[in-house]
Amino acid sequence: MSPPADRFRTENDSLGPVEVPANALYGAQTKRAIDNFPVSGLRLPRRVIRALALIKMAAAEINRDSGKLDRKLADAIMTAAHEVAAGQHDDQFPVDIFQTGSGTSSNMNANEVIANRAIQLLGGVMGSKKPVHPNDHVNMGQSSNDVFPTAVHIAAVEAVDRDLIPALKALEGALAGKVEAFDHVVKLGRTHLMDALPIRLGQEFSGYAAMLGSTIRRVQRAACGPLGELALGGTAVGTGFGADPEFAPKVIHMVAKEIGIHLRQAPNLFEALSAHDALVEASGALRGAAATLTKIANDVRWMGSGPHGGLGELRLPELQPGSSIMPGKVNPVMAEMLLMVCAQVIGHDATIVWGGAAGNFELNVMTPVMAYDFLQSVQILANGVRLFAAHCIEGIEPDVDRCAALVEQSMALVTALAPRIGYDAAAAIARESVATGKTIRELCTEKKLVTPDELARLLDPRGMTGA
């Protein structure tokens, strides 16, 4: 049975009439996109909706002040756009991410929602395009081809600055806090997954903290650099046809002031429309962060493995039962969570790189999926890193006795004897230690290779770790 006719209104676009839900703020072009692209159920990220609305709000003000847009209409558009930016109408953005590659469907979705809401505010009839038209008024001086990538860059810069960087800094701080706290713990170093010279646990964590510091700088460079360059003003193909040359710089200035982040017009608008190299570069920085975080999470879970069959050097916070069949088992769940996040980010990067390579002539038509994957990478990285810091790193404690025992049992201590008794003799002691299970200290004592005092000095684990 068909729904009652009064649940719909009839709108027209250049292709003809379209039935639109009567209470929807979106219009005919959005409805066509809903019908054409029922692909994934994935929707435009909130930050892109916000960025689109901020552009429309600033554009209306600039067009009003230049005399190109009636003040009454402009004020209504600005009010409606402000509501959209604040998230009041997110349910009116139903278009799937897998849509027209320029993001035209989503740009028109924003134009129609803002236009119809402005019409409501002015007491008009939704869908009438009077007195506010989605193209003529809301989209004045713009094209989807420059507006959508501009919104994506704004959303990406804001997400990195507001979400990811603070999370990475929190993890860096948590790791740095363990440097001094764990400095007294001497443990076995490992290279090639084999016993190596002793290292202090604080030194090991200083390496992790330094990795995060480098990661933060790389991500900041990518976000504050090319991602801050916007395509607005290029309109359809980069020539700027249909827009006042002063329009885009003024809009960009207003949006930058609104979000508190430096933005600027791209130096070459043809490049800005036809390629998405900045997004590819920034995604590469996220991939690099994922690689660093994978290393740290893996080290932490290996050092916490056991409690009897693994390394057992760290005691990780016990957060939840780890098995439905083995009572008492507790797993390194926060590290595992972060590893999966990193795997997803690296997968997203592959899509973004391919999307960046797939542009043709004057326009890249992979923008929506690149935007979705980049912003989801930022979101899950930020959330994953924040939780890993709070629920794992902050609560880690060393097993000092276990660390000391592994050092004492390791044949790697023989390295300190090599300058005294020679490499070959030291190697023979090491092989005998492995074969007999006796420690290097025990064998040296038995064989009276050096005096007890000299042996104590040479085989002092902390003395091998440097200053």
Side-chain angles (χ1 to χ4, degrees):
M1 179 181 296
S2 300
D6 61 358
R7 294 187 183 180
F8 293 92
R9 65 177 188 263
T10 301
E11 290 196 21
N12 287 276
D13 61 13
S14 60
L15 297 182
V18 181
E19 294 295 301
V20 178
N23 61 352
L25 286 175
Y26 58 77
Q29 292 198 43
T30 302
K31 182 59 168 63
R32 287 192 190 278
I34 294 169
D35 294 340
N36 288 335
F37 309 117
V39 179
S40 67
L42 302 177
R43 301 291 182 254
L44 199 65
R46 158 105 279 277
R47 284 199 180 277
V48 181
I49 297 173
R50 166 178 157 79
L52 281 169
L54 291 177
I55 294 167
K56 305 299 179 181
M57 184 165 61
E61 183 171 346
I62 298 300
N63 287 327
R64 179 197 67 187
D65 293 347
S66 69
K68 294 180 180 179
L69 184 59
D70 177 80
R71 175 171 294 275
K72 184 177 179 181
L73 302 188
D75 290 346
I77 290 170
M78 291 165 60
T79 299
H82 184 270
E83 292 178 358
V84 171
Q88 295 181 29
H89 304 296
D90 283 359
D91 61 335
Q92 298 297 310
F93 288 82
V95 179
D96 203 278
I97 282 300
F98 297 97
Q99 52 166 285
T100 174
S102 60
T104 298
S105 296
S106 288
N107 182 45
M108 283 308 304
N109 192 168
N111 289 334
E112 290 177 342
V113 168
I114 292 169
N116 275 322
R117 178 59 184 140
I119 289 170
Q120 279 187 330
L121 293 170
L122 295 171
V125 177
M126 284 201 307
S128 65
K129 302 182 183 179
K130 297 177 182 179
V132 179
H133 194 285
N135 298 82
D136 296 339
H137 301 136
V138 182
N139 200 62
M140 182 184 290
Q142 307 152 56
S143 164
S144 297
N145 294 355
D146 67 343
V147 166
F148 194 75
T150 294
V152 170
H153 275 220
I154 292 169
V157 168
E158 194 172 27
V160 169
D161 183 77
R162 302 287 152 75
D163 300 336
L164 182 56
I165 295 300
L168 290 171
K169 286 183 175 179
L171 179 57
E172 180 189 27
L175 292 166
K178 301 300 181 183
V179 175
E180 184 175 349
F182 292 167
D183 188 65
H184 66 289
V185 182
V186 178
K187 67 179 288 289
L188 193 61
R190 296 179 182 86
T191 59
H192 302 272
L193 297 181
M194 307 300 286
D195 294 0
L197 286 167
I199 186 174
R200 299 198 299 276
L201 187 58
Q203 292 173 318
E204 201 160 30
F205 271 76
S206 76
Y208 301 148
M211 290 177 205
L212 261 294
S214 297
T215 291
I216 290 167
R217 288 190 291 275
R218 285 191 292 268
V219 173
Q220 285 177 322
R221 279 197 301 269
C224 298
L227 267 188
E229 296 178 352
L230 308 182
L232 195 67
T235 61
V237 294
T239 61
F241 180 82
D244 188 315
E246 296 183 0
F247 169 77
K250 288 180 179 179
V251 171
I252 291 169
H253 175 75
M254 290 183 66
V255 173
K257 185 177 180 181
E258 175 70 23
I259 68 174
I261 299 174
H262 178 61
L263 303 169
R264 58 235 176 253
Q265 190 175 36
N268 188 299
L269 297 176
F270 301 102
E271 183 269 345
L273 267 65
S274 64
H276 287 327
D277 293 348
L279 207 57
V280 171
E281 180 182 346
S283 178
L286 301 187
R287 183 192 65 232
T292 294
L293 293 165
T294 294
K295 186 265 192 296
I296 294 171
N298 262 329
D299 279 8
V300 165
R301 72 180 186 129
W302 274 110
M303 285 190 283
S305 62
H308 301 299
L311 300 182
E313 295 170 334
L314 294 178
R315 298 192 188 100
L316 307 186
E318 296 186 344
L319 300 178
Q320 62 188 60
S323 174
S324 61
I325 191 173
M326 293 176 281
K329 190 170 187 292
V330 179
N331 298 328
V333 293
M334 300 313 293
E336 292 169 356
M337 172 275 296
L338 188 56
L339 289 172
M340 287 188 281
V341 165
C342 292
Q344 184 72 71
V345 169
I346 291 170
H348 282 339
D349 178 66
T351 299
I352 292 167
V353 169
W354 181 251
N360 301 110
F361 304 114
E362 277 62 64
L363 188 67
N364 182 293
V365 290
M366 302 287 280
T367 313
V369 71
M370 294 176 72
Y372 182 89
D373 283 5
F374 184 88
L375 289 167
Q376 191 189 58
S377 287
V378 171
Q379 179 185 22
I380 62 177
L381 268 178
N383 290 340
V385 165
R386 177 176 50 82
L387 293 168
F388 182 66
H391 299 313
C392 183
I393 299 301
E394 292 283 4
I396 283 178
E397 295 292 340
D399 188 327
V400 179
D401 293 338
R402 173 65 173 168
C403 289
L406 289 176
V407 171
E408 185 64 23
Q409 293 163 13
S410 173
M411 70 173 189
L413 288 182
V414 79
T415 306
L417 291 173
R420 176 68 172 79
I421 66 175
Y423 186 94
D424 291 339
I429 293 292
R431 289 194 298 271
E432 187 174 350
S433 174
V434 174
T436 64
K438 293 181 179 179
T439 67
I440 300 298
R441 195 182 305 274
E442 289 171 339
L443 288 172
C444 288
T445 301
E446 286 179 8
K447 298 176 184 294
K448 298 181 179 179
L449 294 176
V450 294
T451 66
D453 288 346
E454 190 174 10
L455 183 65
R457 178 179 61 80
L458 289 172
L459 299 188
D460 172 27
R462 186 174 179 90
M464 298 182 192
T465 65

